[in-house]
């Protein structure tokens, strides 16, 4: 019954590796997001998709590549992981075409630690 | 573009009140409020659209003054469960999809 689910919950890996985080929502929402929350709890948007179309692509290194196979799924692939990538990554979703004007529902987060 | 929240932290005893402010340098379309408990996901509390309306969630309410481009969150008769970090998120009329979050206000309610 989880509304927005992310896997894995924890990810510990070494610098230089490539990893993926998956996100699925069963709320029927049209818009999905990836956020990065750093150690100071600052929550910053990375990407936003509306009906599988990329809407927002913030100044994120191109090592980060989102993919939305359908409007219920949004995955994040990260190449050549760096120490600075250590953070909690949250997936979120909202209904309707005007995503930012609607409540956003967050997943439980993926805690990424780079050794 | 990131809104400014104040204070950074507040410590309350059960039953006390607090106000958290969120201000922007740009004209806003809406303001969201979320609460995040330690190790958990942010949880939506309320959204205020331009028009100066007030909304409530339990004994937590908020106002939005679009002229001042400011929103305030009011914690009334605080309970232990109110502890957490409160974030405001703002979006601009020109950008329908991007929510910019403030740095958060950590609220600690003690018995």
């Amino acid at each position: 019954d989880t509304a927005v689910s992310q896997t894995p919950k924890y990810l510990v890996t070494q610098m230089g590796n490539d990893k993926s985080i998956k996100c699925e929502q069963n709320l029927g929402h049209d818009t999905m997001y990836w956020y990065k929350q750093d150690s100071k709890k600052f929550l910053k948007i990375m990407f936003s998709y509306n009906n599988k179309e990329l809407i927002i692509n913030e100044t994120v290194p191109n090592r980060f590549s989102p993919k939305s196979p359908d409007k219920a799924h949004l995955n994040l692939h990260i190449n050549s992981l760096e120490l600075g990538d250590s953070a909690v990554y949250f997936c979120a979703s909202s209904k309707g075409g005007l995503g930012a004007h609607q409540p956003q529902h967050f997943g439980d987060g993926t805690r990424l630690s780079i050794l | 573009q990131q809104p400014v929240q104040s204070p950074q932290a507040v410590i309350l005893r059960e039953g006390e009140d607090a106000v958290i402010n969120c201000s922007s340098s740009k004209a806003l379309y809406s303001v969201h409020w979320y609460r995040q408990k330690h190790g958990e996901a942010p949880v939506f509390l309320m959204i205020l659209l331009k028009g100066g309306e007030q909304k409530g969630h339990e004994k937590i309410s908020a106002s939005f003054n679009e002229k001042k481009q400011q929103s305030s969150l009011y914690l009334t008769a605080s309970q232990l469960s109110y502890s957490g970090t409160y974030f405001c998120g703002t979006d601009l009329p020109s950008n329908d999809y991007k929510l910019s979050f403030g740095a958060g206000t950590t609220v600690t309610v003690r018995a």
Side-chain angles (χ1 to χ4, degrees):
Chain A
D1 281 87
T2 304
V4 182
S5 59
Q6 292 179 230
T7 53
K9 189 164 184 174
Y10 298 95
L11 194 48
V12 181
T13 189
Q14 297 207 334
M15 262 197 323
N17 285 349
D18 304 337
K19 290 293 178 186
S20 291
I21 306 172
K22 294 186 175 182
C23 178
E24 176 182 3
Q25 54 94 4
N26 62 6
L27 297 167
H29 288 170
D30 295 307
T31 308
M32 295 186 72
Y33 312 81
W34 277 113
Y35 288 92
K36 179 181 180 180
Q37 187 171 47
D38 60 24
S39 56
K40 294 183 178 179
K41 295 188 180 178
F42 180 49
L43 200 59
K44 183 171 172 56
I45 190 165
M46 301 172 68
F47 303 102
S48 173
Y49 272 76
N50 177 256
N51 278 319
K52 302 191 298 175
E53 182 184 350
L54 182 64
I55 299 296
I56 293 173
N57 184 349
E58 286 295 278
T59 50
V60 177
N62 57 17
R63 298 181 295 104
F64 290 79
S65 52
K67 279 190 182 171
S68 182
D70 55 61
K71 73 174 193 177
H73 295 84
L74 180 61
N75 304 322
L76 183 66
H77 187 77
I78 315 170
N79 288 325
S80 304
L81 281 158
E82 300 177 357
L83 289 175
D85 298 333
S86 293
V88 181
Y89 293 83
F90 285 102
C91 175
S93 71
S94 63
K95 69 177 181 182
L98 300 177
H101 305 329
Q102 301 290 334
Q104 296 188 14
H105 299 255
F106 285 79
D108 288 337
T110 295
R111 284 141 189 86
L112 175 63
S113 297
I114 310 300
L115 303 176
Chain B
Q1 196 165 329
Q2 178 191 351
V4 177
Q5 280 186 242
S6 63
Q8 283 187 325
V10 59
I11 299 175
L12 302 166
R13 289 202 179 273
E14 268 188 302
E16 290 182 340
D17 302 339
V19 180
I20 300 170
N21 295 308
C22 173
S23 62
S24 172
S25 59
K26 294 180 182 286
L28 301 174
Y29 184 89
S30 70
V31 179
H32 297 219
W33 286 98
Y34 292 79
R35 178 172 64 203
Q36 184 179 28
K37 292 185 180 283
H38 183 69
E40 298 181 7
V43 174
F44 172 78
L45 293 176
M46 63 193 81
I47 182 171
L48 299 104
L49 301 178
K50 62 178 183 179
E53 64 180 295
Q54 285 191 308
K55 287 220 169 181
H57 173 85
E58 299 170 345
K59 288 188 178 178
I60 300 173
S61 61
S63 63
F64 179 22
N65 187 325
E66 61 188 277
K67 286 185 180 177
K68 290 185 178 178
Q69 293 153 193
Q70 180 177 344
S71 177
S72 296
L73 187 73
Y74 306 95
L75 307 181
T76 305
S78 58
Q79 306 168 17
L80 294 176
S81 62
Y82 287 3
S83 292
T85 301
Y86 290 77
F87 293 96
C88 69
T90 58
D91 71 300
L92 308 178
S94 57
N95 192 326
D96 297 333
Y97 294 94
K98 181 178 174 181
L99 202 60
S100 297
F101 283 95
T105 296
T106 300
V107 173
T108 304
V109 181
R110 294 181 175 162

